[in-house]
Amino acid sequence: LPRATLDDLTPLLPQLRPDLVVYEQSDVGAGIAARRAGLPVVSVVIGRSMPPEILAVATERLRPLWGTLPADALFGDACVDVWPDRVRDPGTAAVPKVFRMRPTQYNAAVPLPPLPDDGFVYLTLGTVVFGATQVLRGAIAALSRLPVDVLVAVGPGDPAALGPVPENVRVAGFVPQAVPE
């Protein structure tokens, strides 16, 4: 994927002449293409870096792509970091400018499914691995044994793909994160 992104962006960047390239931390091809084009880059930190032993292997395999660029340059000239300090990626310490952001609730006109007044468990695998139905089914099975109501959000996935669920479990696609007023 980094090679494909690099190959796709390299001819486009001189044509598009962006003032800035913003990319997801793991999309190293975009970071490399922007660096090679002499463009300022901002990464969006998506989580902690890989464990050192895996990072060493990845660094070796990606070295032909980034050449003389140091691996920490892939965080960009700046980064957007939404992670609390206790789980913050230590690699961001080397980034010249870090924009610390606190996620805010998404406020959409989409109504929430009916929720209990006394709280519930919110279960999601996000928008990347939403199709891991076996994992979700396992978590649902475990949570359904507890005296709690469960809301499962499958994002772009099909709620029906989970099949029948226990009575205390509701399944939805995307769920607005705003608290109803």
Side-chain angles (χ1 to χ4, degrees):
L1 185 58
R3 281 184 188 90
T5 303
L6 179 60
D7 291 346
D8 288 346
L9 283 180
T10 297
L12 285 175
L13 292 176
Q15 292 173 21
L16 298 174
R17 298 183 324 201
D19 295 321
L20 172 72
V21 173
V22 180
Y23 65 98
E24 181 184 280
Q25 171 191 356
S26 65
D27 192 0
V28 296
I32 294 165
R35 287 274 187 202
R36 286 185 181 170
L39 296 167
V41 289
V42 174
S43 66
V44 178
V45 180
I46 60 169
R48 293 185 62 87
S49 293
M50 296 177 254
E53 58 276 4
I54 295 174
L55 186 57
V57 171
T59 299
E60 213 39 54
R61 290 188 181 182
L62 291 171
R63 189 172 314 287
L65 290 180
W66 70 59
T68 59
L69 289 176
D72 64 357
L74 298 177
F75 273 108
D77 300 307
C79 68
V80 177
D81 188 358
V82 298
W83 296 91
D85 287 336
R86 67 176 187 222
V87 292
R88 189 172 183 207
D89 190 314
T92 61
V95 179
K97 178 67 180 163
V98 178
F99 296 97
R100 301 297 301 273
M101 295 183 69
R102 179 185 167 117
T104 57
Q105 298 174 343
Y106 174 70
N107 191 0
V110 180
L112 283 169
L115 300 173
D117 293 332
D118 59 350
F120 59 95
V121 173
Y122 178 61
L123 171 63
T124 184
L125 297 180
T127 59
V128 176
V129 291
F130 62 88
T133 54
Q134 287 304 102
V135 173
L136 283 171
R137 284 187 192 119
I140 290 168
L143 289 169
S144 69
R145 292 192 288 267
L146 300 175
V148 296
D149 289 300
V150 179
L151 172 60
V152 181
V154 295
D158 178 7
L162 291 175
V165 294
E167 191 174 302
N168 64 329
V169 176
R170 295 183 189 111
V171 181
F174 285 103
V175 176
Q177 301 298 298
V179 177
E181 295 180 17

